[in-house]
Amino acid sequence: MNLFVEPVGVSHFLLVGAVLFVAGVVCMATKRNALGVLMGIELVLNGANLNFIAFGSPYFRETSLGLDGQFIALFVIVLAAAEAAVALAIALNFYNNHATIDVDRADELKG
Amino acid sequence: MNLLAAVNWHSVLFMLFALLACVFALAVVFSQNVVRMAFYLVLSLASTAGLFMLAGAEFVGAMQIMIYVGGTLVLLVFGVMLTAQSTFVSMKTSAPEWLLAALVGGSLLYVLFLAAFGTSDWTTARKDQQTVSVAESKAAAPIGLGLLGIRVDSLSQPNETLKAGQSGYLLAFEIVSVHLLVVLIGAAYLARTKRRRQEWET
Amino acid sequence: MVEGINNFLGWEPDAWVGFVLTALIQVMILNVVLAGGALVFIWMERKISGRIQDRLGPTRVGGKFGWLQTLADGLKLLTKEDITPGEADPSLFKLAPYISLTASFATLLALPFANGWVGQEVNVALFFILAVLGLEVFGVILAGYASGSKWSLFGGMREAAQVVSYEVPVGLCAVIPVMICGTMNLVTIGNMQAGFFTNWLIFHDPFTFVVFWVYFTCAIASVNRAPFDLAEAESELVAGFHTEYSGLRWSLFFMAEYGSMFVVSGLASILFFGGWNGPIPVTHILSSVDANTLGWGDGSWAPFWTYLANAIGCINFILKAVLGVTVMIWVRWTLPRLRIDQVITTCWKYCVPLAAICFVGVMAWQAFQIPSGNDLPLPYQPIRAEVRETWAESTSSIGNAEQPTAEPADQVASVIIGEGV
């Protein structure tokens, strides 16, 4: 279909969400920097958020989730911010103890 | 000129933002420099905010820019700078790891692609598609009231069973608020410097 | 405007040409605001600082008052060599000033200059502007990092800590007018302060009066101006985040800074000082004048009056915003720079608690319906009562099995969704 002329549907948003999600998963799997892993998590959460927004949008389907989609997305954003703060605090603490944030080096329980 | 008249600008803008979001998400994956990664992530998330606005969720889009891009990522860059040993940190990933990740990612993308385009209701736009306009999208007040437990948007819900479940998000809102307070205190506690105690002891 | 342009050019009313031209014209106007504003503000800064330090400031370029000095400066900066240090991360280093400038410029898109004179009227305009303004710091942080210099890095780190901290009190202060007006649409907020100056939200109650000063303090800090300009403290960090910059890129940072100064001042004027409404409702009277009352016939003059009212309102708004910028310049050349720990202390120990107290105070003022300076019937007052009733009903019916009656809530819904809060 020619997207220049035809309106987009939920599927197109889902596709973008899927790309973001997979990019995030690969990022989490390949990065050894703790902050890189954190960025992967943010990408995954955004991919999920995009799906919620797309399903909640009244423009694409007649039976949409309505505002519930936006509510869930809001909560995800807020919780992601909280999660990032805690993860960053842990990373800083780890850096103070080990002088690195390489996640492969975090294999001992003794600080 | 007829060609230009037939262009669906909403779709064009969607493609623009979608392309930006995807390209910069992939740039995050393939970049080796942490600050560059953070920068690409900013662009990717900002484009996602644009997509939110295109889907009529202007409040969530602004929230995304405010909290994600303006807050979380500044925090991340801050963390990168605090933990950087050399000037420009980079950590290499070995080839087998890349291969495994590509395999997992590729198959995941394939499954998600099938799922996204598998339902005909999702692929086709609604028949009576409304005009999509940022100026006409007014979700902020219903969202605010919904967080207080009043769902002004779903009063016309004909299905009684569904209606009972749509009673607002006051409890969730309160829990998130308390959660944020706990996180604030917890993060400050975790990241505090421990020098003071040693100074006291010596 | 779209239709007007299309009619003028002989296209169909909703042809794409009109949309493109309208967008271009609006962007050009906003560009002029940003660039012309920077020209004027830099000249003002030189003149005012001169007067404060008992000297004349620029006197030669462009006549007696030296008002072309900024242009001369700009030409000098253009001809300077654009240096990238060897230690720098080249692409990020080159990109950083543009990020700052883009963020500063993008806020102007949602900032109304008069009733309806706005690039794009957004329902969440206030939130959008604050969010995008917060992105400006990204350019500064990246500049600090990518310069590969310790001074720059320290400057960038300080900026990050400072801006993230000051977003909290700025947000708290900006929420208070939103709470009073019941909307984040800046056009609506401005229109709710029409009439005499007692209708301005700063005179709404004592708490809003206090909160304006908190807002202005935090706004100065969030646009990184003295006495809060720790990111570029000359006495400690050479020049902070822009130590390694020269020529045009260096000046772009300053254009962004003056642009965001204008935006936060304009925001202050809309949120607290009535925006485009003057102290005496001249524009209001003009826009409501019907041609028939003047005996001029068929009422075809009404659009002209509205236009004139908007033009005067626009001048009004710009005057107020420039006044805010002037106060910022005055503060810069009067107060000594704070230390970084004092800056953060000011934020968390004074501004945030003060803003929070005012927030609770205004909430109480609204909840107990204490009469306020604003004599306009705020359109959301009756809705508030209904919302309160609906809420009480729905919470009381949780114990019972029956659903809350939908009648009052339906009215609330129709008013809120229909009126477009």
Side-chain angles (χ1 to χ4, degrees), chain A residues 4 6 31 42 46 58 68, chain B residues 8 11 31 64 68 126 169:
Chain A
F4 282 104
E6 295 189 26
K31 301 291 173 191
E42 309 292 346
N46 256 276
D68 290 287
Chain B
N8 186 331
S11 300
S31 173
Q64 164 105 350
Y68 245 120
R126 63 186 284 181
Y169 287 86

Side-chain angles (χ1 to χ4, degrees), chain C residues 262-421:
Chain C
F262 179 79
V263 169
V264 291
S265 304
L267 216 50
S269 96
I270 292 177
L271 292 181
F272 295 101
F273 283 97
W276 48 88
N277 298 299
I280 298 162
V282 182
T283 58
H284 197 71
I285 294 168
L286 278 180
S287 61
S288 61
V289 159
D290 188 10
N292 287 323
T293 54
L294 294 174
W296 286 358
D298 55 355
S300 57
W301 280 77
F304 168 75
W305 286 118
T306 317
Y307 188 84
L308 189 68
N310 268 346
I312 295 175
C314 184
I315 294 171
N316 233 325
F317 171 78
I318 289 177
L319 271 183
K320 285 175 191 173
V322 170
L323 192 70
V325 174
T326 315
V327 174
M328 283 185 185
I329 294 172
W330 173 23
V331 165
R332 171 175 177 181
W333 294 98
T334 311
L335 295 179
R337 181 182 291 125
L338 298 177
R339 258 193 348 249
I340 181 71
D341 61 318
Q342 289 168 334
V343 169
I344 303 294
T345 309
T346 314
C347 175
W348 289 108
K349 285 193 181 163
Y350 299 100
C351 289
V352 171
L354 209 55
I357 289 169
C358 290
F359 181 77
V360 175
V362 175
M363 208 181 343
W365 206 276
Q366 296 284 99
F368 297 120
Q369 292 173 340
I370 304 171
S372 64
N374 196 324
D375 65 351
L376 285 187
L378 296 177
Y380 303 103
Q381 214 67 278
I383 304 174
R384 281 218 177 85
E386 282 186 46
V387 165
R388 215 173 285 140
E389 278 167 28
T390 322
W391 188 69
E393 277 176 37
S394 62
T395 44
S396 66
S397 69
I398 285 175
N400 314 332
E402 62 174 302
Q403 293 295 317
T405 50
E407 283 168 18
D410 262 335
Q411 288 166 5
V412 174
S414 66
V415 173
I416 286 175
I417 295 169
E419 297 279 322
V421 175

Side-chain angles (χ1 to χ4, degrees), chain C residues 116-154:
Chain C
W117 284 17
V118 49
Q120 169 68 55
E121 186 174 346
V122 192
N123 185 30
V124 290
L126 173 62
F127 198 34
F128 178 81
I129 288 180
L130 287 180
V132 176
L133 208 57
L135 297 188
E136 201 197 331
V137 65
F138 242 101
V140 172
I141 295 177
L142 284 180
Y145 168 81
S147 294
S149 144
K150 275 181 188 166
W151 308 122
S152 303
L153 190 62
F154 272 126

